[in-house]
Amino acid sequence: MDNNDLQYNFNRMKYDICDWYGTLMPQSSMKFSFPSGPQVGLYINRRGVRHHADERGGYYRGAKIASPKEYDRITTALNGIYHYIDDVVAYDRTMQEVVMNDCIRLDCTTLSPDFMTKLTDGEVARGHTWGGNKKYDGAKNTNNPSDNNNRSVGFKPGYARNFDLSANTHMHVRGRSLWFWSYEGDEVIFKGRYDFTLKLPAVPAGTYEVRMMTCVGFDTRGIVQYYLGHDPKNLEPQGIPFDMRPGGETLFGWKNDTDLGDDDAITAFDKSIHNIGWMKGPKCYHCGWRSSFDAGSATMRAQNNTIRKVIGTFTTDGKTDVFLRIQQKMESENNELNFDFIELCPSSVYNNEYFSEPTW
């Protein structure tokens, strides 16, 4: 994240940039955070905002990863490199009951390790360039392939772990561009008559709500049906199909916070749309390219087309896999699903009588 323009898209006074990843230990996950302020740096399994507790009172420093300038030891190995950390990292009670007692927001480009493995050109699918060395160059979408260098990286069935794709599913990781209405500037795109099943990342025992962040309001979007459960061959349908072509006003009566008025009215509106399966986008992220943070720019929460769909809930013992299936219901080869991020939110957060879920 350091010296990277993406950091200026986040309100880092209110939200630590973070991502979650599955690990090689069965049924475990790991969180990486990049806070600003007195404790700036890269941390493993941290909770809080900057150097203090978050809005729900949670704080845990985590283990800091030393930068190359902070040591002069050998870091190379036969098949990669390794990094020094200043504390023990464990999937212990603190990790499960403090760090993971939070809304777990997973960028969809982290959901398969193959999205983050070097390709034959030395790039990785996640965060790959648009062409040349211009990592955040302007978006291009033309009929001339030479104008679209590295625009998207495709994955055939069987080549992306955690995903089971049907033969008619076209899956691509799109190149990062901060101009897009996409969290962290990228997303996984599905086209065709897609039908895929995702093994969700591991979470501790409990009940969780599953959500999907997406950008609606385009004729090119599709109609999807969601399924959830523990048996990938026998998953339960979740509600009725979701038509992604209308905008937020049509889908659930989207209203801007400035039009709603005071905090009580905003909280009441959030609760009312959540009860029927919708949420606004997160307040922490501002789309667009800039060289410094601009608090006055529009957040995802303030955009009527960047919304979260509440898919359903599941209960887990923390030892059993959970699967999400998404199926295209339109008879079309061109309608698409922009799979931006998913959230696995514990009931202690979304159903808490003392603390409203943070809007960040």
Side-chain angles (χ1 to χ4, degrees), residues 101 206-209 345-353:
N101 182 21
T207 298
Y208 293 81
E209 185 173 79
C345 189
S347 59
S348 60
V349 176
Y350 73 82
N351 196 27
N352 192 306
E353 60 179 312

Side-chain angles (χ1 to χ4, degrees), residues 5-11 178 284-288 290 293:
D5 294 336
L6 178 57
Q7 64 184 305
Y8 303 125
N9 288 57
F10 284 89
N11 186 340
L178 300 184
C284 66
Y285 189 79
H286 301 238
C287 299
R290 57 189 62 86
F293 176 67

Side-chain angles (χ1 to χ4, degrees), residues 24 30 32 38 40 50 84-86 116 126 132 134 138 146 179 304 310-311 336 342 350:
L24 294 179
M30 184 178 285
F32 285 81
V40 66
R50 306 184 86 224
Y84 291 92
I85 58 178
D86 69 358
M116 297 170 285
R126 187 190 194 208
K134 298 178 181 179
S146 64
W179 292 111
N304 63 0
V310 179
I311 296 172
E336 64 190 8
I342 60 171
Y350 73 82

Side-chain angles (χ1 to χ4, degrees), residues 292-360:
S292 62
F293 176 67
D294 177 13
S297 60
T299 69
M300 278 192 152
R301 182 176 171 86
Q303 304 279 359
N304 63 0
N305 61 336
T306 50
I307 55 94
R308 285 174 280 184
K309 173 61 178 169
V310 179
I311 296 172
T313 61
F314 68 86
T315 299
T316 178
D317 58 4
K319 303 175 183 178
T320 308
D321 290 331
V322 179
F323 297 88
L324 168 66
R325 180 186 176 192
I326 302 181
Q327 184 183 46
Q328 163 76 297
K329 289 299 186 180
M330 295 183 68
E331 294 184 1
S332 167
E333 296 295 333
N334 290 318
N335 291 71
E336 64 190 8
L337 166 70
N338 59 317
F339 202 39
D340 196 353
F341 69 67
I342 60 171
E343 291 179 339
L344 306 180
C345 189
S347 59
S348 60
V349 176
Y350 73 82
N351 196 27
N352 192 306
E353 60 179 312
Y354 301 105
F355 296 100
S356 298
E357 182 176 344
T359 57
W360 303 99

